[in-house]
Amino acid sequence: MARIEAFTGGAVTRQEMCPSDWKTIWPELAEKKPNHTIAIGATALNAIEKVAQSAPDSVPPLPPVSQP
């Protein structure tokens, strides 16, 4: 399990972070069936924000997310 998946409890996956090329980057994931519910919208963005907040200060913060 990748750090993003572990940190977010599976709410954010590598497939979601790189939707166009995850099979090339992580071919081993293409062989596995997902075993979690895919997070959508604000849930995923909130999890990404948590990761960004725990990152070094050299990483710029994410812009605020507007709620529908």
Side-chain angles (χ1 to χ4, degrees):
M1 181 178 289
R3 289 177 64 187
I4 186 71
E5 293 159 340
F7 186 80
T8 64
V12 178
T13 66
R14 289 172 277 178
Q15 293 93 326
E16 292 171 317
M17 297 297 294
C18 302
S20 63
D21 59 355
W22 67 267
K23 290 181 183 179
T24 303
I25 300 168
W26 302 286
E28 69 277 10
L29 296 179
E31 299 169 6
K32 297 179 183 179
K33 290 184 178 181
N35 60 358
H36 67 279
T37 302
I38 297 176
I40 58 171
T43 304
L45 292 173
N46 288 336
I48 292 168
E49 181 65 26
K50 286 182 182 179
V51 172
Q53 289 173 354
S54 68
D57 291 335
S58 61
V59 177
L62 294 174
V65 178
S66 61
Q67 299 293 329

